[in-house]
Amino acid sequence: MKRFWIFLMLTLIPVAGCSSLLLPKSPPPVYYRLEYKSVGVKCAKSFTGGLRVWDFITSSPFDQSDMVVIDHGQQVSFSGSFQWITSPGTMVAESLLRDLNEGSLFPQVVSGDSPIEVPLTLTGHVFTFAWMRQGSKARAMLQVEVSLSATGPTNRLIFRRIYELISVPFTEDTAAAFARAMSGIVSRFSQQLQRDLCLLGDVVK
């Protein structure tokens, strides 16, 4: 009988070890995207040629899908449980592509992978895309540089500007609050960029 119990214990040990692989995993991440009503700006001085919008470059540590939180301007943390659907640079560029197609600045706006030839190109660089905590409140912050260039051999730079936008403070420190706040300031950024580009309508032919 003693040998039987020893044999039984030895046979159960590997089963118990393997069973840990079948335990429920941690909950899958929750994904967020930028959501706001399209904000195409009407412009009387529209461009005569079409525009290509490339995905924006994103600086580290924001060049990933994990939401980034910065505490008191110093400590950087990443959220594996709450993520964006894609990189911030891609989300910002896709938002601009949608908004510019709604407005009257350009007769045609295409994405970077479109085979259609157009005379103008919009590129950008996202420097900051974060949830900034300060005490009991937090804000979304976006810092992005945008460049408009003419295509062709010269690749002439027409316009370049850095935009920095910060949301109103939130006492709700959640991923949903971050997504709402960032959606709001990307909407504001899109409108401001379109207004600035509208001023170039008479210059660029």
Side-chain angles (χ1 to χ4, degrees):
M1 182 63 70
K2 183 178 180 180
R3 289 182 178 180
F4 171 77
W5 286 111
I6 293 174
F7 174 79
L8 183 62
M9 291 175 65
L10 290 174
T11 56
L12 287 176
I13 286 173
V15 174
C18 290
S19 68
S20 64
L21 299 177
L22 304 178
L23 292 175
K25 297 181 180 179
S26 58
V30 178
Y31 291 93
Y32 291 85
R33 61 183 179 180
L34 299 175
E35 291 191 61
Y36 63 88
K37 186 177 180 181
S38 184
V39 286
V41 172
K42 303 301 180 182
C43 180
K45 297 175 281 188
S46 60
F47 293 79
T48 57
L51 174 74
R52 184 182 309 280
V53 180
W54 290 98
D55 284 356
F56 286 11
I57 299 169
T58 310
S59 291
S60 178
F62 313 104
D63 55 343
Q64 56 184 300
S65 60
D66 289 2
M67 288 186 165
V68 179
V69 178
I70 301 179
D71 280 301
H72 300 88
Q74 296 178 337
Q75 183 177 348
V76 178
S77 303
F78 303 92
S79 173
S81 299
F82 302 104
Q83 301 183 19
W84 299 107
I85 58 171
T86 187
S87 70
T90 298
M91 288 195 299
V92 172
E94 289 177 347
S95 297
L96 289 178
L97 177 66
R98 181 193 65 174
D99 294 346
L100 289 167
N101 268 307
E102 290 290 327
S104 60
L105 272 169
F106 302 92
Q108 185 177 37
V109 184
V110 299
S111 62
D113 58 2
S114 171
I116 299 174
E117 296 292 333
V118 289
L120 298 170
T121 298
L122 189 75
T123 57
H125 191 144
V126 175
F127 295 107
T128 306
F129 196 93
W131 189 234
M132 312 286 292
R133 287 175 177 163
Q134 193 72 37
S136 62
K137 297 181 180 180
R139 301 168 184 255
M141 180 176 179
L142 171 69
Q143 185 182 50
V144 56
E145 180 183 70
V146 181
S147 299
L148 177 70
S149 302
T151 57
T154 60
N155 198 29
R156 178 172 61 93
L157 179 65
I158 300 168
F159 170 87
R160 175 178 290 163
R161 183 161 299 173
I162 293 178
Y163 296 85
E164 185 172 299
L165 298 98
I166 302 177
S167 73
V168 298
F170 279 67
T171 55
E172 179 189 351
D173 187 27
T174 64
F178 182 15
R180 289 197 306 272
M182 187 58 78
S183 296
I185 59 177
V186 170
S187 175
R188 285 165 46 201
F189 158 65
S190 176
Q191 293 178 67
Q192 184 59 59
L193 173 63
Q194 290 179 74
R195 286 193 290 266
D196 291 341
L197 293 177
C198 181
L199 299 176
L200 299 173
D202 281 344
V203 178
V204 183
K205 301 294 184 183

